[in-house]
Amino acid sequence: MTETIHDAVIVGAGFGGIGAAIQLRRLGHDDLVVLERESDLGGTWHVNRYPGLAVDIPSSTYSYSFEPNPYWSRLYAPGAELKAYATHVAEKYDVRRHMRFDTVVDGAVWDDGKHWTVNIAGGERLHARLLLTATGFLSQPAFPAIEGIDTFAGTVIHTTRWDDSIDLDGRRAAVIGTGATAVQLIPEIAPRLAELTVYQRTAIWVTPKGDRAIPQGVQKLYARVPLAQRAVRTIGSGILELIMVAGVLKYRRAKLLNRSVEKLALRHLARQVKDPETRRKLTPDYTFGCKRPTFSNTYFPTFNRANVHLETTPIARIEPDGIVTEDGTKTEIDTLVLATGFNLWDTNFPAFEVIGRGGKDLGKFWREQQFQAYEGVAVPGFPNFVSLNSPYSYSGLSYFTTIESQMKHLKRLLREVDRRGAATFEITERANAEFLDRMTDRLEDSVFVNGSCATSRSYYFNQHGMATLLRPTSTINAFREAGSFPLDDYSYA
Ligand code: NAP
């Protein structure tokens, strides 16, 4: 019996995978399979359900440009609306029927020079001419290796596995972590708890969040006159671009923006937190931009509550009924919330084993020879492979900028493959090396190199101490190159 060889397998049914599937269908590839380890689509917006979850990029910008949603209820929509939007887009563009849920990919191998074999947990294998990975950046939850954590006898909840059936009322809880997730979660749960101790290792920069409900009249206007919402999107994208280019990428020449935002954040803190010692503890000691900042009007005031305590002494160990800090103090708790984020660099680049031409192992290559990917999508030695969550792929602040420039790259590349009647494509060593050199050079101007980042513990940096997550160019540059990269940067056969 001959085995079916699909046009493409896409791994991941979040916004990246949905965008890739839409683009492949537009290009005439209808024999697609989208594999998703979770029980439904939506990626991060399916997995994350913790109280307070909302987007913190304005929603008119944090959405596909070709599918505006006039009905966002707020400037920064709640998480459930993002999940509903993902479902709407997948159904409207008819890509949901290609998806298979609860399907965990163990690995993929480039076989016999012609197609990929994708190994699924349980033993099934799929074959495809094209493999696209859209497995996200923040998709492998990090569980802290704290001594004794396994002995804790109470309830343990990681924020990516929120369980609404757990009644938090009257509990004595601890939250470990003060990243963007904790900043949204803590104000929501604090009033319900008897006691809450927040364990902070690194303070986070928090600026005010200009959030507000979008009146129904405005929603109707957006529905009737899409141009009005497009104008709002353009303004939002422009502001994000300015922050990214001036505050992050050109920091060496534009320190003023970072300093001004730091001042804004410190004034926000001073206005919102009464106790000077608590204020001191909540003040970051690294440059704004080294680490992902956050936006909230409710996080700081939570620390004025009598039932909320901020602990900055490092955790020594966890016992069955509490947390002991290095000064020997034990805080008794019955509920432990892990807002400890994600592991990017050890387990997520790539999210599963990918073996290319001649047995080349993508994970080993990245770790041993630097994290790199041409235009954030292609790696030499990996034919017919498009890695959407690669080093230097994240462009701009809204993830949709990245997704849409990658969709554009895909269109230019696959049209050329068709035009040549080729069976395979692969990025050349030369083009990849030139791109890597250019990105490495550009980083020299960034906050990551020129800011004071040593104490930030930022996931923008990989295990080699290099900030290889964000593409250090403007989004305009990323879009332009996606539509105009030299076609002979790839080889075709
Ligand atoms: P995160 O930013 O990585 O924060 C994890 C937190 O846990 C940090 O405060 C970290 O401390 C702490 N931590 C980890 N291991 C620890 C340990 N062993 N002991 C003590 N503390 C420990 O993760 P996140 O808050 O889940 O956010 C991840 C990203 O998701 C955000 O940066 C953002 O990009 C995205 N996000 C977006 C939204 C939104 O758009 N609305 C909302 C939430 C999250 P250190 O800082 O010291 O490492």
Side-chain angles (χ1 to χ4, degrees):
M1 196 180 89
T2 50
E3 289 183 289
T4 305
I5 299 180
H6 300 283
D7 284 350
V9 164
I10 300 172
V11 186
F15 281 124
I18 292 171
I22 291 172
Q23 189 65 304
L24 286 176
R25 291 208 52 206
R26 282 176 179 164
L27 294 167
H29 299 280
D30 201 39
D31 179 12
L32 309 178
V33 187
V34 183
L35 303 175
E36 168 58 56
R37 74 176 175 195
E38 304 295 334
S39 58
D40 199 3
L41 57 79
T44 208
W45 301 101
H46 170 71
V47 169
N48 286 283
R49 286 186 290 259
Y50 59 81
L53 175 70
V55 69
D56 57 13
I57 301 283
S59 295
S60 290
T61 301
Y62 190 87
S63 42
Y64 298 104
S65 62
F66 56 86
E67 187 55 33
N69 171 20
Y71 301 111
W72 299 118
S73 67
R74 305 190 66 79
L75 200 56
Y76 298 91
E81 289 185 30
L82 270 302
K83 159 85 179 165
Y85 174 71
T87 304
H88 160 76
V89 175
E91 284 171 0
K92 177 168 172 182
Y93 291 82
D94 199 21
V95 294
R96 190 181 182 117
R97 69 188 168 88
H98 298 287
M99 294 177 181
R100 280 181 54 184
F101 301 113
D102 299 308
T103 306
V104 176
V105 173
D106 277 343
V109 184
W110 175 247
D111 267 348
D112 78 14
K114 282 204 178 58
H115 64 258
W116 285 92
T117 295
V118 179
N119 298 314
I120 295 171
E124 190 188 350
R125 291 166 7 141
L126 292 184
H127 305 284
R129 277 179 281 278
L130 188 60
L131 173 66
L132 296 96
T133 48
T135 43
F137 296 99
L138 301 161
S139 44
Q140 316 296 347
F143 292 86
I146 300 172
E147 185 192 324
I149 193 164
D150 293 339
T151 68
F152 183 66
T155 311
V156 182
I157 319 170
H158 191 285
T159 52
T160 55
R161 298 185 187 164
W162 199 263
D163 180 353
D164 282 321
S165 69
I166 298 171
D167 183 5
L168 292 176
D169 289 355
R171 292 194 182 217
R172 286 166 303 144
V175 171
I176 300 182
T178 54
T181 298
V183 166
Q184 293 185 333
L185 173 75
I186 286 168
E188 294 293 316
I189 62 172
R192 295 165 54 189
L193 299 164
E195 297 292 331
L196 169 62
T197 306
V198 175
Y199 288 83
Q200 171 189 282
R201 190 163 63 181
T202 309
I204 185 162
W205 283 108
V206 185
T207 67
K209 186 170 185 179
D211 190 20
R212 54 181 51 85
I214 299 180
Q216 291 211 337
V218 175
Q219 296 179 24
K220 282 189 190 143
L221 172 75
Y222 286 168
R224 265 201 329 269
V225 190
L227 214 59
Q229 194 179 21
R230 179 158 283 276
V232 172
R233 180 187 177 98
T234 306
I235 294 167
S237 306
I239 295 170
L240 295 179
E241 185 76 342
L242 176 74
I243 297 171
M244 184 68 181
V245 173
V248 178
L249 305 180
K250 297 288 173 205
Y251 172 80
R252 182 151 68 175
R253 275 173 268 160
K255 297 191 174 72
L256 204 65
L257 181 69
N258 301 56
R259 300 256 161 82
S260 311
V261 180
E262 285 176 3
K263 278 191 191 142
L264 173 77
L266 292 176
R267 273 202 304 276
H268 187 46
L269 173 61
R271 266 200 304 269
Q272 292 201 314
V273 176
K274 294 183 207 140
D275 174 42
E277 178 58 10
T278 308
R279 279 208 300 267
R280 188 190 60 73
K281 289 180 178 172
L282 288 168
T283 303
D285 62 356
Y286 55 88
T287 307
F288 181 89
C290 292
K291 188 183 182 91
R292 163 67 149 79
T294 186
F295 320 94
S296 173
N297 303 326
T298 52
Y299 177 64
F300 286 147
T302 309
F303 293 97
N304 295 328
R305 298 179 61 95
N307 69 329
V308 176
H309 320 283
L310 177 63
E311 183 55 73
T312 54
T313 310
I315 297 171
R317 63 183 180 280
I318 295 178
E319 297 185 348
D321 59 347
I323 299 185
V324 181
T325 43
E326 282 180 0
D327 58 4
T329 308
K330 176 169 175 179
T331 303
E332 291 192 356
I333 56 164
D334 52 37
T335 305
L336 175 59
V337 177
L338 301 175
T340 45
F342 303 87
N343 189 332
L344 280 85
W345 298 106
D346 300 316
T347 56
N348 204 37
F349 279 105
F352 51 83
E353 187 180 68
V354 179
I355 305 292
R357 194 165 46 77
K360 186 172 179 180
D361 180 322
L362 182 61
K364 276 199 187 128
F365 170 67
W366 275 341
R367 277 155 193 78
E368 289 167 9
Q369 315 250 335
Q370 289 194 51
F371 286 91
Q372 52 189 290
Y374 171 79
E375 293 287 343
V377 294
V379 186
F382 295 85
N384 291 13
F385 175 55
V386 180
S387 169
L388 299 173
N389 303 106
S390 286
Y392 298 120
S393 64
Y394 202 110
S395 169
L397 292 180
S398 165
Y399 186 30
F400 284 85
T401 319
T402 306
I403 294 170
E404 292 197 24
S405 66
Q406 294 183 330
M407 287 170 76
K408 211 169 164 189
H409 188 107
L410 204 55
K411 180 171 158 187
R412 180 168 169 81
L413 172 61
L414 294 187
R415 280 204 169 151
E416 180 63 6
V417 172
D418 278 356
R419 195 186 67 77
R420 293 180 186 233
T424 64
F425 62 85
E426 183 180 331
I427 193 63
T428 60
E429 294 278 359
R430 170 199 55 78
N432 177 64
E434 278 171 16
F435 182 80
L436 178 61
D437 281 352
R438 196 150 54 85
M439 295 304 111
T440 317
D441 280 354
R442 281 183 178 249
L443 272 178
E444 288 303 306
D445 282 344
S446 72
V447 69
F448 306 123
V449 172
N450 302 283
S452 168
C453 293
T455 55
S456 67
R457 283 181 174 269
S458 165
Y459 65 69
Y460 292 148
F461 292 85
N462 65 29
Q463 55 271 66
H464 309 137
M466 287 188 67
T468 51
L469 182 65
L470 305 179
R471 176 185 172 113
T473 76
S474 68
T475 59
I476 296 166
N477 170 283
F479 267 120
R480 200 178 47 235
E481 289 189 10
S484 67
F485 62 85
L487 292 167
D488 60 7
D489 277 359
Y490 285 90
S491 62
Y492 307 84

